[in-house]
Amino acid sequence: MSFLDRIHACTAFNPDRYLPFQIDDAVVGFVTPELAARLAAFADVFVVNAGSVNLATALITPAARTAAVDRVLRALSQQGVVNGWRDELYPVAAHPSAPPLLLIERAAVPLFGTYGSGIHVNGFVGRGADMRMWVGRRSLDKPTAPGKLDQIVAGGKSADHTIWETLLKESEEEASISPEIAALARPVGAISYCTERSKGLRRDVLYTFDIELPEDFVPSNSDGEISEFYLWPISRVMETVRNTDDFKFNCALVVIDFLIRHGFVNHSEPDYLDVVKGLHGF
Amino acid sequence: MSFLDRIHACTAFNPDRYLPFQIDDAVVGFVTPELAARLAAFADVFVVNAGSVNLATALITPAARTAAVDRVLRALSQQGVVNGWRDELYPVAAHPSAPPLLLIERAAVPLFGTYGSGIHVNGFVGRGADMRMWVGRRSLDKPTAPGKLDQIVAGGKSADHTIWETLLKESEEEASISPEIAALARPVGAISYCTERSKGLRRDVLYTFDIELPEDFVPSNSDGEISEFYLWPISRVMETVRNTDDFKFNCALVVIDFLIRHGFVNHSEPDYLDVVKGLHGF
């Protein structure tokens, strides 16, 4: 097992197995042929060709598209195709930073292979060899990656929150980090990947933050998403990421990026260059 | 002008304009048709086809290949095709981390489009809004990018030095940084790019380091490569990289990476995701 194995867990995507999902010729996602066959039944919303799935061109405005697609998604939810409805809208566009062409329910994002984004926060205390990192264990009733290890704070960014609002909201909910302490968070970059998971495609950009926490700060979870927090020596974090897949697939990449930026994983590591590049794979 | 302009200055490479340079079917570089025509005259060393330039298969060992290619390079130097002979050997391989298949004179690296690598050090004092960065101005007699701005320390890595040895050597030569102070340097990642420059292709990996220098440290150049050092507020460094091309093309990328990792350039920046990804372009 190696850091590169963690990268490879986030690169399982073969576009030949999908049909591009397009709005006005812009590719905004990827759907399976099975989903395309179901979408063909909603011909006023989705135009399904041999080589692509297109949003009906009569749907001109983002609001009209959002309403029409929502109707289809609710039907697919009835059919058991969309599961775990969240009542959170995610933007859909050809680039994760572009203005949204429509908004769709979060639970449908992996099915349509549209971009997702989120914030992930590395919470640590101490420096150098004395550094320790706060690690959360995801609750066993989480729909995604139950029981896996996670950052102290991480969460998806919906269409109605900015990156910074998402950071503040998740810091409070997941770890009882006050806005005053959350303000210590420093943006440090972004990682990206596209990978097949059981629920569909994860085609994500994660905005990453470091926060050096006070020594006496102890996180506590208030939304039931994290069952336990651990304060681990950085060496234990490093060995866990290198030698196991205990961290959730994308959280492992956030940890590796942290270890690289802080010099704990460096050019003496086999595959170093491929790991560095692999953090920005998509 | 924008940070993305600095990225684009490092992405000017169209492989259709080059022939792959191969050793036993592994692509190790890219040469122009003009150079290929010259290499055809050395048929015992280079086998030139319509679609590729191959090293003669009779040259089996790295030592034999190195000696044979050196003979050709010296002839090309006589012809004025290879300029600025450095007497430094660089490794040639299909991946920048792979064991070298042969070694070639540094001055020939851009002509053959083989990988180059180097170390670049961000030297700074202070933290947060008070941070200042040491910036060097390259001497006007440098063969590459004379008069451009540079990191406090940067240098190419030849085949006979490790990354860390290169860091120590260049720190001493370029900025009179003692081994004791150089030991404070922290590896923070690597950037990569492939771009056409006047002397040929630059297809490089730069191993990046941060060094927080003592407030009373003042660099001084001892090898004639830097004409002046400036200690600039980080805001000035940022504006200079954003609004001018005063920094040497690849040094600009190293600065941008620093600004991202330290939170000075963040998600509020237009093109943020493209800039982050563009630092790992090759």
Side-chain angles (χ1 to χ4, degrees), chain B residues 62 66 86-93 96-107 109 114-118 155-166 169-170 207:
Chain B
T66 299
R86 306 280 286 261
D87 261 334
E88 276 184 64
L89 290 172
Y90 268 44
V92 173
S97 297
L101 300 174
L102 83 149
L103 306 179
I104 65 170
E105 156 61 25
R106 177 175 182 172
V109 167
T114 57
Y115 282 114
S117 67
K157 181 193 163 305
S158 62
D160 58 347
H161 287 93
T162 65
I163 291 168
W164 192 254
E165 286 167 354
T166 306
K169 174 174 161 291
E170 297 287 339
Y207 296 89

Side-chain angles (χ1 to χ4, degrees), chain B residues 117-190:
Chain B
S117 67
I119 60 95
H120 281 241
V121 183
N122 301 290
F124 68 98
V125 295
R127 297 196 176 187
D130 295 328
M131 188 184 283
R132 285 148 288 152
M133 181 181 274
W134 282 104
V135 174
R137 187 174 297 281
R138 298 165 64 84
S139 299
L140 290 174
D141 55 6
K142 286 279 282 186
T144 309
K148 290 283 188 183
L149 300 176
D150 202 329
Q151 271 73 56
I152 189 172
V153 172
K157 181 193 163 305
S158 62
D160 58 347
H161 287 93
T162 65
I163 291 168
W164 192 254
E165 286 167 354
T166 306
L167 175 85
L168 292 176
K169 174 174 161 291
E170 297 287 339
S171 293
E172 177 62 40
E173 288 174 5
E174 290 211 347
S176 305
I177 296 175
S178 67
E180 291 70 29
I181 291 181
L184 300 172
R186 186 174 79 179
V188 289

